[in-house]
Amino acid sequence: IMEGDFEKIEAVIEAGEDNGSKTFNQDLYRLVKDGKITRDDALSSSPNPRQLEMNLKGIFLSSGGIVN
């Protein structure tokens, strides 16, 4: 952050998932899967609806490629 590399923040959060870090899309995905919010509400609230749409279809991408 101090160096201005803001585009790397999401990758760092995803990498820290084992420590409890989650992106907003990851939590939206969880809330949809748990039946707490609708798919449409999640997509309209998402900072990256295309990525969330892929996740809801079972496709998960990382900087290294597709992750299942």
Side-chain angles (χ1 to χ4, degrees), residues 36-49:
K36 308 255 182 192
I37 63 172
T38 67
R39 174 189 182 104
D40 288 340
D41 285 341
L43 291 170
S44 68
S45 300
S46 173
N48 189 340

Side-chain angles (χ1 to χ4, degrees), residues 26-39:
Q26 288 170 327
D27 263 340
L28 289 171
Y29 172 82
R30 179 186 56 81
L31 290 169
V32 170
K33 290 300 182 183
D34 290 348
K36 308 255 182 192
I37 63 172
T38 67
R39 174 189 182 104

Side-chain angles (χ1 to χ4, degrees), residues 14-67:
E14 287 175 353
E17 188 174 1
D18 292 339
N19 297 326
S21 296
K22 295 205 181 318
T23 66
F24 193 57
N25 262 5
Q26 288 170 327
D27 263 340
L28 289 171
Y29 172 82
R30 179 186 56 81
L31 290 169
V32 170
K33 290 300 182 183
D34 290 348
K36 308 255 182 192
I37 63 172
T38 67
R39 174 189 182 104
D40 288 340
D41 285 341
L43 291 170
S44 68
S45 300
S46 173
N48 189 340
R50 283 181 159 171
Q51 179 188 38
L52 181 58
E53 181 73 37
M54 290 176 60
N55 294 160
L56 292 169
K57 291 178 179 178
I59 302 168
F60 298 86
L61 300 176
S62 72
S63 57
I66 296 177
V67 178

